[in-house]
Amino acid sequence: MQLTNKHSIASALAMASCSLLSQTVSATEPVPANDDWNVDAAIMYYGEQERVQAVEAIGNVQKAFGDSSLLDMKLVVDTLTGASASGAVAQSQEQTFTRPSGKGQYNVAAGETPLDDTFHDTRVQLSANWQEILNPDWTVNAGVYGSKEYDYFSLGLNAGVERSFNKNNTTLALSGAYANDTVDPVGGRPVALSNMVFRQDYDNDEAYQAAFDATRLEGDDTKQTADVMLSLTQILNRNWLMQANYGFSSVSGYMTDPYKILTEVDTNGIAQGYRYENRPDSRLKHSVFLMAKGALDSGVVDFSYRYNTDDWDIQSHTLETHYRYYFAPNFYGQIHLRYYQQQAAEFYQPFLKADQALPEFASADYRIGDMDAYTVGLKFGHRLSGGHEMSYRIEYYQQNPKNNGFDIPGELNNYDLFPAVKAIVAQVSYSF
Amino acid sequence: MKISINKRLVTCVLLFSAASTLTGCSSLGVEPWEKDQFARADMALDHEKLDLSLDDHIYFSKEGTSGGRSLAGGGCGCN
């Protein structure tokens, strides 16, 4: 009798833990009770010192249909304002730049890093994913994705399959996604490495407009992204599990940033002109991600390492950890630490030299230059009655771009060509 | 450059193969009734998925590489 009871409890626990565990590597949360709705919502502010400010609202709804089906829908709306680095370098004189639209100009004071202050956009993103548990060993999912911003439109499909082994201690997952993006920049796509033109160099508006149009290509362009990921999740012991992912991504099409430029300088570091950047039209990326996650008596902790490499020669290492501590059963605090280090793309250069031949590809975008960055974050959350949860998060993010070995000529030595970017992230989340 | 990329690729594949061999190791893992800790909501790998999604969006738009935990993706003109 006792043996029978023990067996039935064990099998009930096994069933329960199997169904919970099988969800851990999927893109969705554990399947809630039948016909249940789960809503997660958050609003986030991201603000850089004197640069980009963003507000992002996100809502995620899950609806279970029976024990085996789950619909997951997400809506994201974000708005961006502020200024971003154009790629040009500081000078001892005030600098004038033509706006990306070709209509109007803006000035940057002597000694200042040139920022393009026309940066503003609103983005709406919708996605939906369906997950189906076929049997205790197999789970499949499929989804659609779409996002629209003023100068960019993206449509995507994704699908995945998961297989559990070894009494559900091991889960292998394969997922893939394909996206087709359309880029239609303000003012048109610049001709690769063409010179920025200025109104004052022309006698009338028509002559200027004709010269500006000569630096632009007709129509929009597209970019295709195909992603594949293989994922292994393994329970190590009663408290720890690990995950290992390998991701491959192939991108082809228009990847140049149409709003970024490079300063062309002489041997004294004095600007002779500005050219629009140009990036290759294909990129193959690989990533390896390893994570360990542990259940502690009064909390939970994870450690992860990620390695990225691609055929643009950008390599990066990312170390990250989250540690959560429960002060009380319904109140926790959490620390988030992240360190990121990146090696520049082979065509990254902080400026062009007027006495040297133009390269085929060049970009002064610090985001693909040598850089390290760190994040320090704190989060507090409390559970409310009825299973609701409220949480608050604040983080500090700092990027430290670096010179990737370029000789800095003349007066450019007087300025910080690789200024740090400092940002605050603040977020409030509510789940019910 | 091609050789070094291939080397890196081989390293990646080797790393993953090494991890994959863990599946064959029956000493790893626990019995079904010992999975109480993994039934905790905060032990799900995507427990804080909104935070992770917002973080991914920030880092995707501010850094040169992306993905790893999930697909590298795209879908915005921010990078």
Side-chain angles (χ1 to χ4, degrees):
Chain A
M1 181 70 186
Q2 199 170 2
L3 191 66
T4 314
N5 267 348
K6 196 174 173 185
H7 266 290
S8 65
I9 291 166
S11 58
L13 274 171
M15 289 285 284
S17 54
C18 285
S19 86
L20 282 163
L21 185 70
S22 66
Q23 300 306 306
T24 56
V25 294
S26 74
T28 51
E29 293 244 277
V31 178
N34 286 3
D35 305 323
D36 208 357
W37 289 86
N38 268 9
V39 179
D40 295 309
I43 186 155
M44 181 198 76
Y45 165 78
Y46 170 88
E48 292 175 0
Q49 195 176 34
E50 296 169 3
R51 293 196 188 187
V52 173
Q53 315 286 311
V55 175
E56 187 158 337
I58 184 167
N60 194 95
V61 178
Q62 279 189 343
K63 169 86 169 86
F65 297 90
D67 290 331
S68 61
S69 306
L70 186 71
L71 175 66
D72 192 288
M73 293 180 294
K74 188 159 82 169
L75 168 69
V76 182
V77 179
D78 55 55
T79 60
L80 289 167
T81 54
S84 70
S86 68
V89 290
Q91 292 282 286
S92 60
Q93 313 261 320
E94 182 182 74
Q95 299 187 79
T96 300
F97 298 94
T98 300
R99 293 194 183 279
S101 63
K103 296 174 173 51
Q105 298 180 327
Y106 61 96
N107 297 322
V108 171
E112 296 286 321
T113 300
L115 303 177
D116 178 356
D117 62 2
T118 55
F119 190 51
H120 59 87
D121 213 341
T122 300
R123 188 176 72 104
V124 177
Q125 174 196 319
L126 278 168
S127 57
N129 199 280
W130 183 269
Q131 179 186 287
E132 190 75 30
I133 300 171
L134 301 179
N135 59 45
D137 290 337
W138 290 92
T139 302
V140 292
N141 67 75
V144 292
Y145 169 96
S147 79
K148 177 76 186 108
E149 55 202 282
Y150 183 73
D151 55 358
Y152 204 89
F153 179 55
S154 176
L155 276 177
L157 295 168
N158 60 277
V161 57
E162 284 175 36
R163 169 80 160 96
S164 296
F165 304 90
N166 187 20
K167 298 177 189 169
N168 269 358
N169 282 294
T170 307
T171 304
L172 207 52
L174 178 66
S175 51
Y178 177 81
N180 185 72
D181 299 358
T182 305
V183 192
D184 189 10
V186 174
R189 287 168 298 133
V191 172
L193 300 174
S194 59
N195 265 307
M196 181 180 275
V197 293
F198 298 95
R199 174 64 187 86
Q200 63 267 26
D201 296 336
Y202 297 88
D203 292 337
N204 54 55
D205 287 344
E206 289 71 30
Y208 162 72
Q209 193 61 45
F212 179 81
D213 291 346
T215 68
R216 302 291 148 150
L217 300 167
E218 290 281 320
D220 53 26
D221 208 343
T222 61
K223 179 174 90 176
Q224 288 76 38
T225 307
D227 281 318
V228 177
M229 176 166 281
L230 189 59
S231 173
L232 168 77
T233 304
Q234 173 69 47
I235 288 180
L236 301 174
N237 58 35
R238 202 160 180 165
N239 292 303
W240 287 87
L241 60 77
M242 58 84 69
Q243 185 178 39
N245 297 343
Y246 165 70
F248 173 76
S249 185
S250 169
V251 193
S252 60
Y254 190 75
M255 276 178 278
T256 297
D257 188 325
Y259 307 124
K260 299 292 186 206
I261 55 175
L262 298 98
T263 308
E264 203 164 20
V265 298
D266 65 12
T267 50
N268 297 316
I270 296 168
Q272 306 296 299
Y274 311 97
R275 289 182 185 269
Y276 297 97
E277 67 154 58
N278 187 36
R279 303 185 193 192
D281 60 4
S282 78
R283 187 176 178 192
L284 295 176
K285 306 191 275 188
H286 304 271
S287 72
V288 173
F289 173 80
L290 299 168
M291 180 172 79
K293 184 161 183 171
L296 311 175
D297 287 344
S298 55
V300 57
V301 64
D302 66 56
F303 303 96
S304 66
Y305 167 73
R306 182 186 70 168
Y307 173 69
N308 293 77
T309 182
D310 65 30
D311 61 357
W312 284 6
D313 260 8
I314 304 182
Q315 287 182 48
S316 72
H317 303 273
T318 311
L319 288 167
E320 192 165 13
T321 183
H322 299 84
Y323 171 62
R324 176 182 292 204
Y325 180 79
Y326 289 94
F327 297 104
N330 59 357
F331 179 61
Y332 65 83
Q334 182 166 302
I335 295 172
H336 174 211
L337 300 172
R338 180 180 186 270
Y339 176 75
Y340 176 82
Q341 188 260 324
Q342 169 182 304
Q343 175 190 302
E346 61 187 348
F347 55 85
Y348 168 82
Q349 51 187 97
F351 44 81
L352 292 164
K353 290 182 176 169
D355 59 349
Q356 291 182 0
L358 275 182
E360 183 182 9
F361 303 112
S363 172
D365 186 346
Y366 80 90
R367 297 174 303 175
I368 54 169
D370 277 9
M371 183 213 296
D372 58 35
Y374 64 86
T375 305
V376 180
L378 269 181
K379 179 178 175 178
F380 293 96
H382 54 99
R383 288 190 201 127
L384 310 167
S385 60
H388 296 202
E389 183 175 318
M390 187 102 192
S391 62
Y392 315 88
R393 182 162 81 120
I394 187 144
E395 305 212 314
Y396 176 77
Y397 175 55
Q398 179 168 331
Q399 296 180 301
N400 302 305
K402 296 185 188 318
N403 186 354
N404 57 326
F406 266 71
D407 286 334
I408 309 295
E411 71 162 55
L412 290 184
N413 287 296
N414 300 333
Y415 308 110
D416 182 3
L417 301 187
F418 307 95
V421 179
K422 300 169 183 177
I424 290 285
V425 177
Q427 183 186 328
V428 179
S429 306
Y430 191 69
S431 301
F432 58 97
Chain B
M1 190 192 80
K2 188 122 190 156
I3 290 168
S4 69
I5 286 170
N6 285 341
K7 265 187 183 169
R8 281 184 227 132
L9 184 57
V10 168
T11 312
C12 294
V13 171
L14 283 178
L15 262 174
F16 197 77
S17 307
S20 301
T21 55
L22 293 173
T23 54
C25 187
S26 58
S27 64
L28 280 175
V30 295
E31 294 301 327
W33 55 87
E34 294 175 319
K35 287 182 178 166
D36 52 331
Q37 296 292 339
F38 299 105
R40 286 165 52 170
D42 59 7
M43 277 299 286
L45 291 181
D46 62 348
H47 173 58
E48 299 181 289
K49 69 175 175 182
L50 286 198
D51 291 8
L52 297 175
S53 155
L54 289 164
D55 283 355
D56 280 351
H57 190 204
I58 291 171
Y59 300 134
F60 172 81
S61 60
K62 304 302 298 181
E63 296 172 354
T65 56
S66 59
R69 183 191 299 272
S70 57
L71 296 168
C76 86
C78 41
N79 193 357

